Amino acid sequence: MRARPNLLILMADQLSASVLPAYGGKVAKTPHLDALADAGVVFESFYCNSPLCAPSRFSWLAGQLPSKIGAYDNAAEFAAQVPTFAHYLRRAGYRTVLSGKMHFCGADQLHGFEERLTTDIYPADFGWTPDWTRFEERPGWYHTMDSVIQAGPCTRTNQIDFDDEVVFAARQKLFDIARGRDRRPFCLRSALRTTLRSAICICSRQTGFQRRSPRMR
């Protein structure tokens, strides 16, 4: 019987494929991700089911369209009764672990994962729910042009601090799994807030591919 593979899933926020050298980008320097792309599988025909953060994540986990599961905005509840791939993996005998940002709204903060290593960087309540009867009004705390006009180099942010914690917890869990007696295959999903910076810290040390696969269209 063929051994079931371990799964390490890295997800970064606000990362456009076009900036990566694997997709023709000329500016970003990503040697470790380039190595993964060269030795692994690169998908060239794909799309995101929602331009919004939470609905996109919920759709990806559930394998269903946002409209099917009621994920209309970043304040929508991800219903606990919606099965995710983590539920199916656990049923197949996998150990499922979550580290980092998921933006789950509602009481269920696991959605099939049996262990969560960090808290979230965004609230789990419904404080982001918009007033759709006054759609022309934008809450004062909501997205503005500040992220553009104030952009520039910085030493630290709360998002960098959060990602450092996510990476540390994920790497430590991989070490613990390697040392432990639990022989189940694992699925570790690490979700980062600041695009590339922290993802490289994990994949450059923990992930390897042994053969080259074709680009998938």
Side-chain angles (χ1 to χ4, degrees):
M1 181 177 178
R2 185 177 180 181
R4 291 168 294 178
N6 294 318
L7 305 174
L8 174 61
I9 303 172
L10 305 178
M11 179 178 285
D13 255 21
Q14 302 177 16
L15 173 59
S16 174
S18 60
V19 307
L20 297 175
Y23 292 100
K26 304 298 183 182
V27 178
K29 306 299 182 183
T30 59
H32 299 299
L33 296 181
D34 295 347
L36 291 178
D38 185 60
V41 176
V42 176
F43 293 91
E44 295 183 331
S45 296
F46 56 88
Y47 67 94
C48 184
N49 283 314
S50 173
L52 295 177
C53 169
S56 179
R57 293 167 186 269
F58 301 168
S59 176
W60 174 72
L61 281 167
Q64 301 185 61
L65 293 173
S67 58
K68 183 71 173 180
I69 57 177
Y72 296 107
D73 56 40
N74 281 341
E77 181 177 11
F78 188 22
Q81 65 265 30
V82 176
T84 70
F85 69 73
H87 289 103
Y88 292 109
L89 284 175
R90 288 182 70 178
R91 187 174 182 180
Y94 271 77
R95 180 179 185 177
T96 54
V97 185
L98 176 62
S99 179
K101 178 188 175 184
M102 277 309 302
H103 203 161
F104 290 146
C105 294
D108 189 350
Q109 293 294 301
L110 290 173
H111 288 284
F113 291 91
E114 61 187 280
E115 185 177 3
R116 186 162 187 170
L117 307 180
T118 68
T119 59
D120 212 313
I121 193 171
Y122 286 135
D125 62 14
F126 302 102
W128 285 18
T129 304
D131 184 350
W132 292 113
T133 66
R134 297 185 294 178
F135 59 87
E136 74 282 355
E137 296 184 11
R138 180 183 294 270
W141 50 263
Y142 203 62
H143 298 298
T144 67
M145 286 296 292
D146 287 348
S147 60
V148 177
I149 62 178
Q150 297 179 9
C154 70
T155 302
R156 300 295 298 182
T157 67
N158 68 318
Q159 296 176 354
I160 292 176
D161 291 342
F162 177 77
D163 278 358
D164 282 348
E165 179 185 3
V166 171
V167 169
F168 176 84
R171 291 189 63 212
Q172 188 61 47
K173 175 54 65 173
L174 290 174
F175 293 143
D176 293 343
I177 290 173
R179 290 190 292 252
R181 297 183 178 181
D182 190 339
R183 295 296 92 189
R184 289 179 295 166
F186 69 83
C187 173
L188 171 58
R189 192 254 185 213
S190 186
L192 308 160
R193 182 62 185 86
T194 51
T195 58
L196 294 175
R197 174 183 176 275
S198 299
I200 296 172
C201 295
I202 298 178
C203 69
S204 64
R205 295 174 172 83
Q206 305 299 343
T207 308
F209 294 85
Q210 296 181 354
R211 65 179 183 179
R212 182 179 178 83
S213 299
R215 299 174 77 88
M216 304 296 290
R217 295 183 180 275

